[in-house]
Amino acid sequence: MPAARPKKESGSSSPPSSDKEHSETKSKRKRQSQSCDACRARKVRCARENPDDPKQSCKHCVTLGIPCTYEYQPKKRGPPNLYLRRLQEAAAAAAGQSDPGDGELASPVSTIASPVQGNLVSPTLGPKSPSQYLDVSPIPSIPSIPSIPISPSRYPIAADSYHPHYSSSANSLPSPPFTDSSSNHGLMSHSPKTEDSIAYTPASDSYNTYPLYNWSYKQHQPQPTTIPPLSYYYRPHRLEDIAPRDTISLIIALFFDFVYPLTPCVHKPSFMADLHARREERDPLFFALVMSTVASTLVQVPRSYLPMERPVVRKLAQTCHEASRHISVASYDPPTSMHVVIRYFDCVYHFCEGHDATQHAAFGEAAHIAVTLRMHEEGSYEGLDPIECEVRRRIFWLLFGADKSMSILLGRPICLRDEDCSVHFPKELDDEYITPSAYLPQPHGKTAIVSGLNYISRIFALLGEILVRIRVDKRSPPQGQFATARLEEVQSLHQRIMGALSLAPEPLRLKPAHPLSHGHLPPEFGGAGFRKATFDEVKDFFDNPNASRANALNPFLVMQANLYVTQQLVRFVIEQYRDELVMSLQGSLDEQRIAEEREAVASNLLNILHSIPIQSIATNGPSLVHKVRFVASTLLDAVRKAEIAPASAARAHAYLWDFLSILSEIERNYLLDDDRDGTSSGDGMAMVG
């Protein structure tokens, strides 16, 4: 720094300094004290009248009115350049083994002659990087650098423990340009020894001591080209690329006959019009929607309805799902309602196939895209056309119901909470009365298909309310008057769930086949004769293409099974928690009353299952089986623990387990894999609300 040393006078205008002057200058430099902390930080010369007095403040600190301190401690000198030092050590060792009479090897470090000028350049001092010195084809003479062990430095670094683990795989990588036969021949003809050139091939271990060599070598490897970019798949496709168009049309028809009543998340008139106009050949995302619709339908309809063998059906479903997935992952931005419908169908597909983790991942995508589109907020629907509005409302409430099913059956956290949702229920209109520009009136006396979704959504909203209270109270149990207030809330929820379907339209109302009297169950509800007859009906439904489809094609019978079974499930959950609150307040329970209530749940559930044709129950698929199994298993556990259990309660639970065996047979018939035994890992959920 100029501030640290005096200026030198020009050598041409003054005579050389004497030894005395030189020593005085050196002594002055030694006496120059260090700068104070403030001047050092500002990088200015520290000006003190008496440099030898460390207690005196410098002029800058006095002017600024700050303390003048000298607390700076010089940092310890860092390690030397180990990369350069190792090159020098290796070159020195190589020079010691080479002929001392070779005058041309004057450079101590891998001297390389320029093919143009013939001058010598050191790779550690020249402008090139180490990787550029791998191109050795024009090199006329290369000294060998043997692989010698280098003692580790006293400053430990990663290079000290570096191992040549790339050497074994280097031979399998594509050869660089300089390893062809012509280059090798030219290299050998100019090298003193053949092994000298071998030391510079990529397979050599001599450079593997230096991480930079391997880094630069890996950077020059050809990149794999077998994985295309995501945008490659986002292009128009033809249905015929997957399956004959007639086959796709048949599966779509089965979707609207058997699946659509439970999941009405597409607008049938516009969907079919787009399909006939071959929109998929112009819009890749619509092609993905068709593929996901086909995949979810193939795993939800009875196999007797498909003129294909089970392995063929499963392969086609997998192909359709993967075709949809390839396209949809490349088109998340901007998100659309079609993305949500696609992911919901993917979720159903994975649920039926037993892919539990993938199913939950697909559900998470669907739910979060829906929230991104603000489908849960009524204000976001302003300005949308009627078709888009209704598709969004329907798919959101389907996700809402699936979320509650997952929460109760698997103990998962609630994703879509009722208090966060202000969106209205879908309008109770059939698709043909919803146009891009207006809502047309529903004919008087005709019940809309979507009414089933609206009623099941109300039931799931009540389930969400009780689940939130259960989990909040589990974390912080209510005491005293707060527990009493909570009990009143739960009793209010119980009244609401019991009357949830009292105003349902006539086609959705259950018509009990056998009126139940207290403590008495009809003998038709159980027994070997009932089981055999029902198993035969199930077998005929799944295996006989000519079996009657009337009950399965009645959407309201299918929805009745889903509605009333779900109602009993929510009722049972509410009654269980009500009893827990009573126990915490009173310290005891009326065992007789509890046993009678459990018997009532089992009897009502049996009555529902016996009042609906088995074909309509079977059309609901595995989702209904999960709900019945949850209630039956919990009821059986309660009966076993109860000290006072009437015989009628035990008989009701026995009958319920008999019916559950029939439902398990239905579940097994939906499997497309013969090797599976009818159970997944237990982490699936009832996707259909």
Side-chain angles (χ1 to χ4, degrees):
M1 288 176 57
R5 54 190 168 197
K7 283 186 176 181
K8 292 183 179 180
E9 299 294 331
S10 174
S12 60
S13 60
S14 61
S17 300
S18 65
D19 294 342
K20 182 178 179 180
E21 292 174 344
H22 183 68
S23 62
E24 288 179 358
T25 303
K26 290 180 66 177
S27 63
K28 285 183 179 180
R29 290 179 184 173
K30 289 181 180 179
R31 288 195 300 269
Q32 177 68 35
S33 62
Q34 67 175 1
S35 299
C36 69
D37 297 337
C39 294
R40 181 182 297 276
R42 297 171 60 205
K43 296 185 178 179
V44 298
R45 183 172 184 177
C46 187
R48 283 185 293 163
E49 293 183 358
N50 184 6
D52 297 329
D53 185 4
K55 297 183 179 180
Q56 183 183 21
S57 298
C58 72
K59 294 180 180 180
H60 296 300
C61 293
V62 172
T63 302
L64 297 173
I66 60 176
C68 189
T69 59
Y70 297 87
E71 298 176 354
Y72 172 78
Q73 296 293 333
K75 296 181 180 179
K76 184 179 180 181
R77 185 182 182 90
N81 190 328
L82 297 179
Y83 176 70
L84 175 60
R85 192 188 75 183
R86 293 186 177 203
L87 282 176
Q88 293 171 343
E89 291 176 355
Q97 294 183 2
S98 61
D99 187 0
D102 291 340
E104 61 182 6
L105 301 178
S107 175
V109 182
S110 302
T111 304
I112 299 178
S114 170
V116 179
Q117 297 179 354
N119 60 334
L120 302 179
V121 182
S122 172
T124 59
L125 303 177
K128 295 185 179 181
S129 65
S131 62
Q132 291 172 293
Y133 286 89
L134 295 178
D135 187 9
V136 295
S137 55
I139 301 174
S141 178
I142 301 177
S144 63
I145 299 179
S147 299
I148 59 173
I150 299 177
S151 58
S153 168
R154 62 191 179 92
Y155 302 102
I157 57 173
D160 290 336
S161 58
Y162 185 79
H163 299 288
H165 53 273
Y166 291 104
S167 59
S168 61
S169 60
N171 294 328
S172 62
L173 296 174
S175 300
F178 57 83
T179 57
D180 58 82
S181 59
S182 59
S183 299
N184 286 340
H185 179 71
L187 186 62
M188 292 177 187
S189 64
H190 290 86
S191 300
K193 297 179 182 179
T194 303
E195 55 269 20
D196 294 344
S197 63
I198 298 176
Y200 280 86
T201 61
S204 171
D205 290 342
S206 60
Y207 272 109
N208 282 354
T209 311
Y210 309 109
L212 284 178
Y213 164 77
N214 288 280
W215 176 85
S216 59
Y217 177 70
K218 289 183 288 183
Q219 298 301 314
H220 287 79
Q221 293 309 302
Q223 298 299 318
T225 58
T226 57
I227 304 177
L230 288 176
S231 58
Y232 169 81
Y233 298 101
Y234 192 77
R235 53 189 172 85
H237 295 269
R238 298 168 63 249
L239 295 181
E240 290 80 0
D241 296 340
I242 304 297
R245 197 172 191 89
D246 291 342
T247 302
I248 300 293
S249 299
L250 168 65
I251 298 169
I252 294 296
L254 291 173
F255 166 78
F256 284 109
D257 285 343
F258 296 99
V259 181
Y260 175 81
L262 294 172
T263 55
C265 52
V266 295
H267 183 254
K268 182 177 180 180
S270 59
F271 181 88
M272 295 305 297
D274 289 338
L275 197 62
H276 292 148
R278 296 177 180 264
R279 177 182 170 184
E280 74 280 355
E281 298 180 7
R282 305 181 304 275
D283 183 356
L285 197 59
F286 182 75
F287 175 81
L289 174 62
V290 175
M291 291 294 99
S292 288
T293 305
V294 170
S296 65
T297 303
L298 288 173
V299 296
Q300 291 187 89
V301 298
R303 62 174 182 265
S304 61
Y305 295 0
L306 294 166
M308 293 180 281
E309 295 295 327
R310 187 185 295 191
V312 177
V313 173
R314 189 180 190 214
K315 179 62 178 176
L316 178 58
Q318 179 182 355
T319 302
C320 291
H321 163 70
E322 291 175 353
S324 171
R325 182 70 177 172
H326 280 309
I327 291 173
S328 56
V329 295
S331 59
Y332 279 127
D333 293 304
T336 66
S337 60
M338 198 178 294
H339 285 95
V340 184
V341 176
I342 290 171
R343 281 294 169 266
Y344 179 77
F345 282 153
D346 291 348
C347 190
V348 174
Y349 164 77
H350 289 299
F351 166 67
C352 294
E353 280 289 88
H355 307 154
D356 298 328
T358 315
Q359 165 215 332
H360 293 301
F363 172 80
E365 287 189 39
H368 284 283
I369 296 173
V371 171
T372 301
L373 291 170
R374 312 194 77 79
M375 289 185 179
H376 60 295
E377 296 179 356
E378 181 61 32
S380 67
Y381 291 79
E382 185 177 353
L384 300 178
D385 66 78
I387 293 178
E388 180 68 13
C389 278
E390 295 313 303
V391 168
R392 289 192 178 203
R393 294 185 201 278
R394 293 177 184 185
I395 189 60
F396 176 81
W397 285 108
L398 284 170
L399 290 172
F400 184 89
D403 179 48
K404 304 308 171 292
S405 292
M406 186 193 319
S407 182
I408 184 61
L409 299 179
L410 302 178
R412 298 288 180 94
I414 297 175
C415 176
L416 303 171
R417 294 179 57 147
D418 185 61
E419 54 266 32
D420 295 327
C421 304
S422 60
V423 59
H424 298 163
F425 289 125
K427 292 186 181 299
E428 294 197 2
L429 296 173
D430 284 325
D431 286 352
E432 55 265 34
Y433 306 109
I434 304 173
T435 69
S437 57
Y439 294 103
L440 304 179
Q442 180 86 1
H444 181 71
K446 182 180 181 182
T447 302
I449 294 292
V450 76
S451 62
L453 173 61
N454 287 352
Y455 276 94
I456 197 71
S457 298
R458 291 183 176 95
I459 292 173
F460 277 125
L462 292 173
L463 176 59
E465 288 190 45
I466 188 63
L467 288 178
V468 167
R469 286 164 171 80
I470 290 173
R471 292 174 182 183
V472 168
D473 294 349
K474 183 178 181 181
R475 185 178 59 187
S476 179
Q479 304 291 334
Q481 60 181 358
F482 298 103
T484 303
R486 178 70 83 209
L487 180 59
E488 292 176 356
E489 293 177 7
V490 173
Q491 288 173 336
S492 175
L493 287 174
H494 186 266
Q495 293 174 0
R496 290 166 62 189
I497 191 61
M498 296 302 291
L501 298 175
S502 59
L503 299 178
E506 184 63 28
L508 288 177
R509 291 188 182 180
L510 184 70
K511 301 166 184 63
H514 304 278
L516 296 180
S517 60
H518 179 69
H520 176 71
L521 287 174
E524 298 86 5
F525 278 18
F530 164 75
R531 285 197 303 273
K532 184 179 185 307
T534 310
F535 270 109
D536 290 343
E537 285 188 71
V538 170
K539 180 176 176 58
D540 188 59
F541 176 71
F542 282 100
D543 296 342
N544 184 7
N546 300 317
S548 173
R549 301 184 181 183
N551 291 328
L553 286 170
N554 187 331
F556 298 104
L557 284 177
V558 174
M559 288 188 286
Q560 278 182 25
N562 188 35
L563 282 169
Y564 286 91
V565 168
T566 308
Q567 181 193 32
Q568 294 302 312
L569 168 66
V570 178
R571 167 196 174 181
F572 179 62
V573 173
I574 293 175
E575 289 180 355
Q576 272 192 312
Y577 190 60
R578 183 196 61 191
D579 294 340
E580 291 182 19
L581 288 172
V582 171
M583 182 68 181
S584 65
L585 285 170
Q586 301 178 1
S588 62
L589 290 173
D590 185 349
E591 296 290 345
Q592 183 68 33
R593 179 185 60 82
I594 292 178
E596 291 176 356
E597 288 179 347
R598 299 292 185 266
E599 179 186 357
V601 173
S603 300
N604 288 339
L605 194 54
L606 273 172
N607 193 31
I608 292 167
L609 296 173
H610 280 273
S611 300
I612 300 172
I614 194 65
Q615 295 87 351
S616 302
I617 293 174
T619 305
N620 279 271
S623 62
L624 191 73
V625 181
H626 282 239
K627 297 175 184 178
V628 176
R629 183 179 292 130
F630 176 84
V631 176
S633 59
T634 312
L635 282 174
L636 182 62
D637 186 60
V639 169
R640 287 174 176 171
K641 292 180 179 179
E643 297 179 0
I644 303 175
S648 57
R651 184 168 60 254
H653 295 103
Y655 285 175
L656 186 57
W657 275 100
D658 280 348
F659 206 100
L660 187 58
S661 65
I662 298 170
L663 295 179
S664 297
E665 178 66 13
I666 292 174
E667 183 182 36
R668 189 188 66 80
N669 275 277
Y670 275 98
L671 299 177
L672 296 178
D673 187 357
D674 291 323
D675 295 333
R676 290 169 59 194
D677 61 356
T679 58
S680 67
S681 67
D683 202 24
M685 68 173 177
M687 282 306 308
V688 179

